[in-house]
Amino acid sequence: VNLRLHGDTIAAPGALDFAINLWPAPTPPWLGDALEAGLAARHHYPDEAPAKAAIAARHRRRPDEVLLLNGACEAFWLLAHALAPRRAACVHPGFTEPEAALRAAGTDIVPVMLDPDRWELDPADVPEDVDLVIVGNPNNPTGTLLPAERLRALARPGRLLVVDESFIDFAPAAEPADGGDVIVRSLTKIHTLAGIRAGYLLADPDLVARLDGHRQPWSVNALACHALAAAAGAPPSEILQIAAEVAEARTALHTQLATLPGVRVWPSAANFLLLKLDEPGGVIDGLADRGIAVRPCDSFPGLDGSYIRVAVRPGPDNARLVGALHEVLA
Ligand SMILES: Cc1ncc(COP(=O)(O)O)c(C=O)c1O
């Protein structure tokens, strides 16, 4: 399978894009101001210090426990290349960049499969001898949250437990990732900022310094630095508001999809839903003919052509998707 396939390259020009996991939120004034300030600072090298301080304050950590990232993805490439783990567990179906990065670094990969009925992770499936485990919480493409006690059960002395929380802002009730050695965060999903490349990780100062030693200088640009600083200080109520809007649209979409014949849909804590079709033949093409793009899931290890992932979008868009699926499945 192609581990480097992502949802951003699927929609034809002009199609209604359910393939990419981006909620089309308007940019709030504080974020627009931050991006403008970043642009105004373009004559200087980026200054990471204000963002590190703001992120540290938000998470009640020290600034030397924060590493800014050129998008959450940079975490996986830094971890893989700085640490060159011997053997790593990658949870599947899951986001494929961690495995791509680890493979590139020569790490031996142990796939750990979620149970395909409820997409739960059994910590006993992770071999004792892996020195790195990466899990998504919520997980993409299943939308599942990992209960805190299962997460803790993955931790071991001498093993690095990496928790990718790129979608966590959509799940405000999620339990904190106690036991995670590295927590990865992103502005991409919650603030619809995929093109800016803004993320960060939290880890102990020694590990942050080690990963930092493998970064090129100024890899996080001035727009990203300003956006990261502003987002860390933004009113939590705004994040909760976006999460609530997404949750409302997701519940409605889930209910409508569940009534379609031959469609199984799983509950999700994020801004997308995973579907399994009894008769997948022609569905993706039929939707494309109707101007709608969805994410085929056969590039996720553990899934085949009967699975598709759809983003949660505002209500009228979702109604178009459901209507088109109705026609295509009939
Ligand atoms: C689980 C997960 N983590 C990370 C990313 C990438 O985030 P970023 O844009 O911050 O690199 C994605 C993008 O699809 C994702 O699905």
Side-chain angles (χ1 to χ4, degrees), residues 71-73 95 140 164 166-167 186 188-189 197:
C73 255
F95 187 51
N140 172 18
D164 176 6
S166 292
F167 291 98
S186 173
T188 292
K189 316 294 179 181
R197 313 304 304 131

Side-chain angles (χ1 to χ4, degrees), residues 173-187:
E175 300 169 280
D178 295 335
D181 300 300
V182 180
I183 310 293
V184 181
R185 294 281 188 123
S186 173
L187 302 195

